[in-house]
Amino acid sequence: MATQDYAASIQGVSIRVTRLDSAGNLLNGAGDSYTTSAFIRTSFTPEYEEGDEITEKAADGTVCVVYKSPDTLKRITMEIAICEPDPELTQLMSGGLLLRKNLGTFGAPNRKSIGWSSPAVGDDPAAAGVAVEVWSNAIKDGKKSSTLPYFHWVFPYCKVRQSGDRVIENGLLANTFEGYGLGNANFGSGLDGRWEFPVATERPYSYARSTWAPTGRNGFYTWHDTLSAAVSNKAVTSNVVTLTTSSAHGFATGDQVVVAGVDANLNGTYTITATPSTTQFRYAKTTGDVSSTAVSPTGTAIVGANSRDVTDFTSQGSTSAYNVPGNNDYNADLPIDFIIASNEDPQA
């Protein structure tokens, strides 16, 4: 019996680049993980250290001993090419400064990343490095495989920088990054727990067939595994539902939550609009007001019910903490922000 279906890897589907800390742990805050389908290629080449060759000759000139140590893998070299001068992805992979402008008003800001400035002379552009994941289609008999339709490629520790010529001409401005990759055991099961072979991340690269790829997502997201909490109290005021959980829920604004066992009118799938505390969350629902009432028996609230979920920070978004490592508000005096604001932002 065949042990696999012999599918081919054809076409790139999406790429996810995630910032690492100095120990190689994946960072999962606002502006730390970027997903896009707008890439041209991701290529890698295993680089081997040639083993020493030892040859000894006898006194009469004949070879009496010959031995060659095995070649050993020491790292991979990588190249990533993207379709457009994407300032956010460029800053994530290659350091430098994001250039942002408020395209709204002072009272209703709409800050967007409109450019990028290279690292300063002498700066390390790659900082602590990134983890790179790439998905491609698994094609069998001319169509996508019905069971495991994607290949999931994992490069757990990469240090890359911009490379090659930048040519402004009658054609596409190439945006290429190159560098090297090594193993990183701290990658573990990945941001959302989907990588099923954490021990393999001690190696520079791995791949496995997958049921899922982040299709249709472009921008910054935080990723997490399935979260579940017991709902002990409900209330509705002016079409806003507030549910209280028995313990800290771990949910975030923007998460999709599945509510069950609370109230026939309040059960369903919703987007969380606010998390006033670690044990409360809110969502919009057009319905009558309900005074604070205990839920007995307790209901359930699940984020990531369909395997896993993400929180969308929407690429080119407008929150004050947008794309700021450490989730700090913009402050021109703090270099950690990696951001320069336009001096033409609205002031009134």
Side-chain angles (χ1 to χ4, degrees):
M1 183 176 67
T3 58
Q4 57 165 310
D5 64 1
Y6 301 99
S9 171
I10 298 190
Q11 297 179 327
V13 173
S14 55
I15 184 172
R16 180 165 67 188
V17 179
T18 303
R19 202 186 310 269
L20 301 174
D21 68 12
S22 59
N25 297 300
L26 296 161
L27 298 179
N28 199 23
D32 284 331
S33 186
Y34 194 90
T35 302
T36 182
S37 58
F39 71 106
I40 299 172
R41 66 182 176 274
T42 301
S43 61
F44 62 97
T45 303
E47 185 176 337
Y48 288 84
E49 180 70 21
E50 291 190 8
D52 293 335
E53 186 168 341
I54 301 170
T55 303
E56 290 292 342
K57 295 182 179 180
D60 62 0
T62 58
V63 174
C64 61
V65 176
V66 61
Y67 174 76
K68 184 181 184 305
S69 300
D71 298 341
T72 54
L73 179 67
K74 59 181 181 180
R75 58 177 170 251
I76 60 171
T77 55
M78 293 192 68
E79 181 188 71
I80 299 171
I82 61 177
C83 293
E84 56 193 38
D86 187 322
E88 294 154 354
L89 183 56
T90 298
Q91 191 280 322
L92 181 60
M93 289 197 293
S94 198
L97 297 170
L98 270 177
L99 308 181
R100 297 177 70 207
K101 183 176 177 66
N102 182 4
L103 300 181
T105 64
F106 183 78
N110 181 20
R111 301 179 179 92
K112 295 195 176 187
S113 303
I114 63 169
W116 174 77
S117 181
S118 72
V121 173
D123 284 354
D124 177 4
V130 294
V132 176
E133 298 167 85
V134 183
W135 286 263
S136 59
N137 288 317
I139 303 299
K140 170 65 175 174
D141 296 330
K143 59 183 180 297
K144 190 179 294 186
S145 174
S146 60
T147 52
L148 297 168
Y150 302 103
F151 282 91
H152 183 186
W153 304 80
V154 173
F155 307 91
Y157 176 87
C158 305
K159 296 197 76 169
V160 296
R161 56 175 174 77
Q162 280 201 326
S163 65
D165 295 333
R166 296 288 176 274
V167 182
I168 301 171
E169 58 181 350
N170 183 24
L172 177 70
L173 173 65
N175 287 272
T176 305
F177 304 82
E178 67 177 18
Y180 66 90
L182 297 169
N184 176 22
N186 287 334
F187 180 91
S189 297
L191 283 171
D192 47 14
R194 292 180 185 272
W195 180 248
E196 301 175 55
F197 310 97
V199 174
T201 58
E202 296 177 353
R203 319 297 176 91
Y205 67 97
S206 304
Y207 70 88
R209 296 280 294 280
S210 173
T211 59
W212 174 91
T215 58
R217 299 190 183 278
N218 289 283
F220 285 105
Y221 304 88
T222 58
W223 302 80
H224 48 74
D225 207 336
T226 302
L227 302 173
S228 179
V231 178
S232 58
N233 194 278
K234 64 184 177 181
V236 183
T237 304
S238 300
N239 297 320
V240 175
V241 179
T242 300
L243 297 185
T244 301
T245 58
S246 302
S247 58
H249 48 64
F251 303 163
T253 301
D255 281 346
Q256 188 178 76
V257 62
V258 177
V259 176
V262 171
D263 182 307
N265 193 38
L266 303 182
N267 294 341
T269 301
Y270 306 95
T271 298
I272 295 176
T273 57
T275 52
S277 72
T278 59
T279 57
Q280 284 189 326
F281 65 94
R282 291 175 177 160
Y283 58 88
K285 172 75 174 182
T286 302
T287 187
D289 286 358
V290 176
S291 59
S292 181
T293 305
V295 177
S296 181
T298 58
T300 59
I302 301 176
V303 164
N306 298 319
S307 189
R308 276 86 177 174
D309 202 6
V310 297
T311 300
D312 185 359
F313 282 90
T314 310
S315 182
Q316 315 293 329
S318 59
T319 65
S320 61
Y322 174 65
N323 196 36
V324 181
N327 206 21
N328 299 311
D329 288 343
Y330 172 73
N331 182 337
D333 297 325
L334 294 178
I336 192 175
D337 287 342
F338 301 126
I339 290 172
I340 291 180
S342 168
N343 59 10
E344 294 183 0
D345 281 358
Q347 297 299 312

